[in-house]
């Protein structure tokens, strides 16, 4: 009898403040603290560590046609080598347009990569996050 693989990234009780304070680069640390405050404000949810390096906000339960299911953060961010990743779990209706006005970034599947906050328009970043959160709630309740 086969078992589905467990989702590696789970919510934990690790300290978000300790994670943020441990970011070595001072500018990156400042940017991540600002993103943390922005997402906390727009989601009205407290930050929580997911795995060892993702600061996530809120959560939802998903179930795929394959039978795989689990919980994930609705949105979040992570400081990684060379960039900050902002997790836009779902694409909102204006995402494509907003990305053209955001500033310097790369977009992957559900993941926005920015080098530093000064490279992007934070108002546009906020709208991208708000739309993504609304879309997750529409899709997953």
């Amino acid at each position: 009898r086969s078992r589905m693989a467990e989702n590696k990234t789970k919510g934990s009780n690790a300290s978000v403040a300790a994670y943020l304070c441990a970011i070595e680069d001072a500018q990156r640390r400042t940017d991540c603290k600002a993103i943390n405050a922005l997402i906390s404000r727009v989601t009205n949810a407290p930050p929580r560590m997911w795995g060892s390096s993702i600061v996530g906000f809120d959560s939802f339960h998903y179930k795929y046609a394959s039978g795989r299911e689990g919980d994930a953060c609705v949105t979040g961010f992570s400081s990684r080598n060379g960039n900050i990743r902002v997790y836009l779990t779902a694409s909102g209706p204006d995402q494509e347009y907003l990305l053209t006005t955001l500033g310097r970034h790369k977009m992957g599947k559900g993941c926005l990569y920015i080098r530093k906050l000064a490279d992007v328009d934070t108002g546009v970043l906020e709208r991208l996050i708000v739309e993504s959160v609304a879309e997750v709630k529409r899709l997953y309740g």
Side-chain angles (χ1 to χ4, degrees):
R1 174 175 105 135
S2 72
R3 250 172 47 92
M4 284 283 160
E6 244 290 317
N7 194 345
K8 288 190 228 41
T9 307
K10 292 183 176 173
S12 77
N13 292 320
S15 168
V16 171
Y19 170 75
L20 293 172
C21 288
I23 297 169
E24 287 182 24
D25 181 86
Q27 184 59 59
R28 173 72 56 80
R29 188 169 53 251
T30 299
D31 287 352
C32 285
K33 285 180 178 179
I35 291 168
N36 185 56
L38 181 146
I39 299 176
S40 291
R41 184 172 48 77
V42 302
T43 62
N44 201 23
R48 181 176 185 207
M49 291 304 299
W50 286 76
S52 60
S53 61
I54 295 172
V55 178
F57 298 81
D58 214 346
S59 67
F60 69 99
H61 188 78
Y62 61 86
K63 186 169 186 170
Y64 297 131
S66 67
R68 181 185 170 101
E69 63 181 296
D71 297 298
C73 54
V74 172
T75 190
F77 70 93
S78 183
S79 174
R80 301 288 176 129
N81 293 346
N83 59 46
I84 299 168
R85 295 179 185 182
V86 178
Y87 299 99
L88 302 175
T89 310
S91 53
D94 296 329
Q95 185 181 60
E96 223 169 283
Y97 165 73
L98 290 170
L99 289 172
T100 66
T101 62
L102 178 62
R104 191 171 165 205
H105 74 280
K106 286 185 181 142
M107 186 70 199
K109 187 173 166 41
C111 197
L112 176 70
Y113 302 87
I114 56 178
R115 290 187 60 71
K116 55 185 188 282
L117 210 45
D119 287 345
V120 299
D121 179 324
T122 53
V124 174
L125 178 61
E126 181 173 330
R127 285 183 56 200
L128 283 161
I129 294 165
V130 166
E131 279 201 1
S132 175
V133 168
E135 191 64 6
V136 169
K137 291 186 188 279
R138 188 185 73 74
L139 293 169
Y140 298 96

